[in-house]
Amino acid sequence: MTRTRKYHLALVGVAAAILLVALIRLITGADEITSSGTFAAALMLAVPIGLAGLGGLWAERAGVVNIGLEGMMVLGTWFAGWAGYQWGPYAALVAGLLAGAIGGLIHAIATVTFGVDHIISGVAINLLGPGVTRFLSEVLYKEGSPANQAGAGITTSPAMSSAAPELSLPLLSDGPDWLGSLESTRWFLIGDVAGILRGLTHNVNVLVILAVLMLPLTFFVLWHTSFGLRLRSAGENPWAAESLGVNVYRIKYIAVVISGAFAGLGGVFLVFVSTKYVEGQTAGRGFIGLAAMIFGNWRPGGLAAGAALFGYADGLQLRSQGAITSFLLLGAILLLIYLGVRARRADGLSALTVKDYTAMGAAVVGAAVLFWLWLTVDRLPNEFVFITPHVLTLLVLLVASQRLRMPKADGVRYRRGEQH
């Protein structure tokens, strides 16, 4: 399949998704599904997930599993909050990047130099990040300190001296709010597209724009430069890369440090949104970012789709808990689409295997159950609403796992001259 055709299919997929969501909104009457507020919230929630996923992408394309993204994000949030209240948002940006990069450097030293198991090192960093930040908070924000008098505490930093700048994109957001006027009409598809565009273009944090630009930049560097080719070769077959003169150790170090910097940048974004560091504000986004990267098949475009999906689910449950029930109907329709696609790919009933029949039968039962729940349940219990993004993460990974292809040497211990 040519690259041009892939882009065309991606655009068709986006259009089909918008049409499907608009149809669900029309059937259920849940206007929050395509409101500008929901998509603005989704964008804000997707960015830290996407940045953490980019961090995982850089490391794993070089053959280093990085489940320590959560701990690196925590380091980024604390140092961004500490520098931000003293010197402003730009200092917060630099401090968070450096803190995340240091976390990545520690992971690289453990895994690349000393050959520590990648999972064990990542777990250690996830424990180290919160521990170090809590210790620093108790030392620097203790009662009687200048920072404490400025409104800090053991679990929070003082507010930043100034807020991060926000921008509205030209043409779509200049002058009269014509997108808002179209959205208020709630016309089928037209009002939905207007709400989506308005949510994605009005009062956008400058770090959101930076994060979005990182996706095509990552794709260009990793797939269209000689450095990117060497990095990906280190993740596919480091010994073959070594035989061609690639310094695999250096490549892996660079990749993992960049990985930590991206995770730290995700932490900076969380501080920009809340204007200060708050203990526990990452809330597992590093792990969800890793899931989004796996869902995206270790590619920036798929990663963006995964982050957007998880951010949308999280944003919708924050904006309207009642609208979450519309996900039941959406899930039923998606299962029916999956059933149709799988049946079409089969070359007649005789070509179906036991696995095919099992998957198709499960899809039929699942669609029937979801449709029945949508008809009978008016409002989901709060406990189910709050775990919606995490359940969605598991379901998406379950479906996507059938087509995934990770780098061949991902997580493999590399030693120069010792090919396995």
Side-chain angles (χ1 to χ4, degrees), residues 23 50 56 83 103 153 179 203 212 217 222 233 244 250 253 255 293 312 319 351 367 383:
L23 183 63
L179 284 176
N203 299 327
V212 171
L217 180 61
L222 293 185
S233 68
L244 296 174
R250 183 173 65 187
Y253 259 88
M293 179 209 66
Y312 176 73
R319 291 282 301 180
E383 293 80 6

Side-chain angles (χ1 to χ4, degrees), residues 9-31:
L9 288 176
L11 292 175
V12 170
V14 171
I18 293 174
L19 180 62
L20 178 59
V21 171
L23 183 63
I24 296 295
R25 195 271 304 169
L26 185 66
I27 295 173
T28 62
D31 290 343

Side-chain angles (χ1 to χ4, degrees), residues 47 128 191:
V47 165
L128 183 67

Side-chain angles (χ1 to χ4, degrees), residues 154-211:
I154 293 178
T155 60
T156 182
S157 70
M160 287 199 302
S161 58
S162 60
E166 292 184 343
L167 302 172
S168 291
L169 300 186
L171 299 180
L172 293 177
S173 56
D174 287 346
D177 188 10
W178 60 276
L179 284 176
S181 301
L182 281 177
E183 180 188 2
S184 63
T185 64
R186 306 315 301 171
W187 292 336
F188 174 67
L189 197 58
I190 295 176
D192 299 298
V193 173
I196 294 171
L197 289 177
R198 187 172 186 271
L200 299 179
T201 58
H202 275 62
N203 299 327
V204 180
N205 190 297
V206 67
L207 196 52
V208 172
I209 299 174
L210 177 62

Side-chain angles (χ1 to χ4, degrees), residues 275-341:
T275 70
K276 60 182 178 180
Y277 159 77
V278 179
E279 189 174 78
Q281 69 192 135
T282 56
R285 287 182 176 87
F287 298 112
I288 298 179
L290 195 63
M293 179 209 66
I294 296 171
F295 164 79
N297 209 11
W298 289 266
R299 296 183 72 89
L303 161 63
L309 179 64
F310 302 141
Y312 176 73
D314 212 357
L316 184 60
Q317 65 99 355
L318 289 176
R319 291 282 301 180
S320 174
Q321 296 185 14
I324 288 294
T325 55
S326 61
F327 268 23
L328 299 173
L329 179 59
L330 177 62
I333 294 175
L334 290 176
L335 284 174
L336 291 176
I337 293 173
Y338 167 77
L339 180 65
V341 170

